[in-house]
Amino acid sequence: MSSVSNKDVALYIINFLKQSVADKTIAEDYVESMDVAIDCIADAFEVNKDDDKKALTQFGGKSLPELLKGFASSSAASSSNDKTDKPSPVIVDDETKAKADALKVEGNRFMASKDYPAAIAKYTEAIALDPTNVVYLSNRAAAYSSARDHQQAIEDAKKAIQLNPEFSKAYSRLGLAEFALGNPKAAMEAYQKGLDVEGETKSEAMRKGYETAKKRVEEQLEDSISTTDRDDGASRGGAGSGAGAGGLPDFGSMFGGAGGPGGGMGSFADMMNNPQLMQAAQQMMSNPDAMQNILNNPAIRQMAQSMGLGGPDGPDLSNLMNNPMFSQFMGRGSQGDNNES
């Protein structure tokens, strides 16, 4: 078909309208309107309406309906092909398969000798020859994991699963790589799918992999709960539950109030065995200001008075600090007792 101009198209349409009137496709009532339309098109495009048949040569001698019918058929066929076109399955001949399998055997030998880069290279060659064999992808995933390239192992394992979802070893490769990258939940899910594929004949490796990943997931959950509890406790406790002046423990609460449990202070031996008191001893001795505030506590005042330190107005700090019994209580005595055995 030669170059088509707008005038050719106008004449082509005029021909269509004339033919429609001639074969009475148009009702008699509209014939006059068609004549007006033809005259208008001819005037607008400055063409001779009687040259309409010459326009057919520009369109292969086909009338407008014939041309459009052919175009519609061609478009429908093209659309149908677009919908049904799928990648053609890769067909590997027996000779190529044999070469690929020989490369796989070489790769297995390199794996046995722990030459993982060489094994990866051989498996890659085998995959290039026969991309339909899921074993080659699975083996290369194992080689990547052995070479500590776990991300590549994951990619190969996923490709293997896509190629054959029933190949259980691919799930094992995926689980191992995910676990090595610190993703125990993903590993557990991969192993679980592998167990599902294996059905009644579950392998020991798959079962152990699943249990190991599951245990790690549970440990992470416990660690998370413990951390949350510690953070909550710290935010609620401030300087510590029962804190007193200077961040030191509230000794009044340790002794059960001014009179102690049952109205008594308890024996000195009981106080010596109180772990909270012993833990705070060194802090108190290094912070006299905080200690003076603590001595205002009625329970502490009563304890000091029971030791003969100070009168009814309260203990004297200098006397109390120099009292041998109190110093020993506070941990300022012989250090030899603190040595580990």
Side-chain angles (χ1 to χ4, degrees), residues 200-234:
E200 297 297 325
T201 57
K202 292 177 172 53
S203 65
E204 189 65 19
M206 194 77 75
R207 188 183 292 108
K208 284 185 177 179
Y210 173 79
E211 292 298 332
T212 301
K214 180 182 178 183
K215 182 178 179 181
R216 183 60 186 138
V217 169
E218 292 170 348
E219 288 173 351
Q220 286 185 341
L221 180 60
E222 290 175 1
D223 291 344
S224 176
I225 294 173
S226 297
T227 301
T228 302
D229 289 344
R230 286 197 299 269
D231 291 344
D232 289 346

Side-chain angles (χ1 to χ4, degrees), residues 12 15-16 56 59-73:
Y12 198 51
N15 176 268
F16 167 68
L56 294 177
F59 296 91
K62 294 181 179 180
S63 65
L64 182 58
E66 291 174 330
L67 184 69
L68 293 177
K69 183 178 179 180
F71 177 77
S73 299

